[in-house]
Amino acid sequence: QAQLVESGGGLVQAGGSLRLSCEYSGRTFSSYVMGWFRQTPGKEREFVAAISRSGGNTDYGDSVKGRFIIFRDNAKNTVYLQVNSLKPEDTAVYFCAAGLEFSRNWELLSKRRGEYDYWGQGTQVTVSS
């Protein structure tokens, strides 16, 4: 079992930045591929970013490449999403997700919602124009 708690969302103007955090509790944090997804009313949950267990491999959704960065601190059981150059279209609830991975390949990650096992409650990011 794992529990994920997001924080760091808020209201910012276009062009601003936030740092979202996701604190993990459960089995060892390094067992999990971590991801961030976002969702707005009426839309499916959208892939934003993912990071491998090692932290050495990352991937991003097309709409956020070059603006967002995901990183993790396994010692603190925390994964972060730095969101920069925010646009109104980035307004969404941002969810942290964890996918259990036992293989020796520490570089695996996933962009697919169905491959994540645990989800946080989300943190709201609102970007005003």
Side-chain angles (χ1 to χ4, degrees):
Q1 300 184 38
Q3 297 80 42
L4 309 174
V5 180
E6 302 97 334
S7 62
L11 174 63
V12 298
Q13 293 191 3
S17 298
L18 290 169
R19 180 171 291 181
L20 311 183
S21 64
C22 172
E23 185 178 5
Y24 159 94
S25 63
R27 69 183 301 149
T28 178
F29 183 57
S30 61
S31 296
Y32 294 92
V33 174
M34 301 300 297
W36 286 93
F37 294 75
R38 66 187 183 186
Q39 189 167 28
T40 56
K43 293 186 177 181
E44 294 184 347
R45 198 163 293 188
E46 175 191 16
F47 171 73
V48 175
I51 188 166
S52 63
R53 291 183 293 155
S54 71
N57 190 27
T58 60
D59 202 2
Y60 299 90
D62 290 342
S63 64
V64 306
K65 288 180 179 177
R67 298 189 297 121
F68 292 7
I69 185 167
I70 185 172
F71 58 102
R72 67 193 292 164
D73 187 338
N74 287 352
K76 295 183 177 180
N77 289 350
T78 303
V79 63
Y80 304 90
L81 184 70
Q82 180 71 35
V83 295
N84 300 315
S85 301
L86 286 165
K87 305 173 182 178
E89 65 193 49
D90 295 318
T91 295
V93 178
Y94 284 71
F95 296 91
C96 178
L100 188 61
E101 174 58 56
F102 289 114
S103 79
R104 285 188 171 90
N105 187 350
W106 280 66
E107 307 307 318
L108 293 173
L109 54 76
S110 178
K111 300 169 67 174
R112 306 182 188 276
R113 297 187 303 272
E115 295 184 5
Y116 288 87
D117 303 295
Y118 304 100
W119 295 82
Q121 295 298 308
T123 186
Q124 176 73 45
V125 173
T126 302
V127 185
S128 62
S129 60

